[in-house]
Amino acid sequence: MAPTLAKPALTALLALSAALTSPGLAQQTPDAPPPEAPPVEEAAPAAPAPVARDLTSAEIAAFNAAVTDFTAGQAAQQKGDNAGAVAKYDAALPAIRTAVEADPAKGDNVNFLANALYADAAAYGALGQIDKVIALYAESLPHWRKVVEAKPADAASRNILAGILIQMGNQALRDHDRGAADPHYEEALTLARQTVTDQPGDAISKNVLLSALIGASQTSTEEGLRDEAISMGKAMMADGTIDAMNKPSIETMTGPAGTVG
C-alpha cells in the first residue's frame, strides 16, 4: 500500500479571504490509454491523452516535506515574517509542481499548487519584489482557471482568479502594453460580473468588479465601461464600501472626495 500523504490545515491568507482546501495525494493510478479510433485516412492524428504516473518514493517524501514547508510558510506569513515565508514557499514549490506534472487531473494537487503560488506571490509582494509577484501570478493562472472550472460555485476562488488577472493587466498597463492588458481585464470582468450577480451585497466582490471596470475602461473599445466604473465607484464611495485601492482611481475619474452625489 502506498503511503498516505499528510494534509495540512490551510487557512485564508489574503485580502480576498479565499477558503483554501487541504491538499492530499493518495497513490496515483495511471489513466488507461484512450481506445483507438477507427483509422480515418484524411484525419490528422489526435494528440495522445496525458497519462498519469505514480510518484516515486523520493517524490512522495519530497511532497510530504513540501506540505510541512508550506504550513511553516503560512505560519511565518501570518506573523509578518515574509522573508521566512518566501523561503518556505520556495522550498515547497518544486515538489508540488512535480505532483501536478505527474497527474494534471488531480484536483487537490492543482488547488494546492495554485494556492502555494498565490501565497508566495503575496509574501514577495509584501517584500516589494513585484517582478517575482508577476512571475508567480503568471505561473498560477492556468491552475486557478482549472480550480474555478472545477468549482464553478466557488466565489472566493473566482475572486482570486479575477484579482490575479487584474494585477497582471495593471502591470501590462504600467508597461504601456494595452494590447496585453486588455484580455486580462476582459477575463476578470466576466468572472467578477458573475460573482457580483451571485453575491450582490458582498463588498469584496464588488471591489473586484470595480477594479476590473477601472482597468478595462482604459484598454477596451467597449462603450460604457468608464461610465459604469464611475457610477459604481460613486455609489460605493457614498455607502463606504469602496476599498483603499479603488478609491483614488475613482476620485481621479470623478473629482475630489466630497463631489460625490
Side-chain angles (χ1 to χ4, degrees):
M1 177 181 295
T4 300
L5 303 189
K7 296 184 179 182
L10 307 185
T11 57
L13 294 174
L14 307 174
L16 293 176
S17 55
L20 310 185
T21 61
S22 301
L25 186 64
Q27 181 178 11
Q28 301 182 41
T29 304
D31 296 338
E36 292 185 6
V40 179
E41 189 171 347
E42 297 82 5
V51 177
R53 68 169 179 85
D54 289 339
L55 294 181
T56 67
S57 58
E59 288 169 340
I60 290 172
F63 185 90
N64 279 328
V67 170
T68 300
D69 282 333
F70 178 80
T71 304
Q74 282 191 297
Q77 195 168 29
Q78 289 162 356
K79 293 175 182 176
D81 179 11
N82 289 290
V86 298
K88 292 297 184 181
Y89 292 144
D90 286 349
L93 280 168
I96 308 171
R97 291 183 180 112
T98 296
V100 171
E101 289 164 4
D103 188 354
K106 190 159 188 70
D108 285 348
N109 293 339
V110 171
N111 186 69
F112 189 16
L113 179 55
N115 280 298
L117 290 166
Y118 186 55
D120 203 16
Y124 272 114
L127 295 172
Q129 298 187 40
I130 303 305
D131 288 347
K132 287 276 194 180
V133 173
I134 296 302
L136 288 162
Y137 277 173
E139 182 183 353
S140 76
L141 265 183
H143 305 302
W144 278 113
R145 287 180 178 126
K146 285 185 178 180
V147 170
V148 170
E149 182 181 1
K151 301 176 180 179
D154 184 353
S157 293
R158 205 183 308 132
N159 273 341
I160 289 177
L161 175 55
I164 289 170
L165 288 161
I166 291 164
Q167 291 304 316
M168 293 186 69
N170 291 346
Q171 182 61 41
L173 203 56
R174 283 191 289 270
D175 292 339
H176 309 289
D177 190 347
R178 291 178 53 169
D182 188 61
H184 289 112
Y185 291 138
E186 290 298 329
E187 186 178 352
L189 263 179
T190 299
L191 294 162
R193 287 193 194 282
Q194 180 182 345
T195 304
V196 170
T197 297
D198 294 345
Q199 301 181 342
D202 183 66
I204 291 174
S205 299
K206 288 166 62 180
N207 274 287
V208 173
L209 175 55
L210 182 58
S211 294
L213 285 167
I214 291 168
S217 71
Q218 301 174 72
T219 62
S220 177
T221 58
E222 182 180 340
E223 294 286 339
L225 289 178
R226 180 179 172 83
D227 289 344
E228 185 180 356
I230 290 173
S231 176
M232 184 176 187
K234 288 171 75 172
M236 291 173 68
M237 287 177 71
D239 67 16
T241 58
I242 196 166
D243 67 21
M245 292 181 65
N246 284 326
K247 187 175 181 181
S249 297
I250 294 299
E251 287 179 341
T252 298
M253 295 167 79
T254 63
T259 64
V260 176

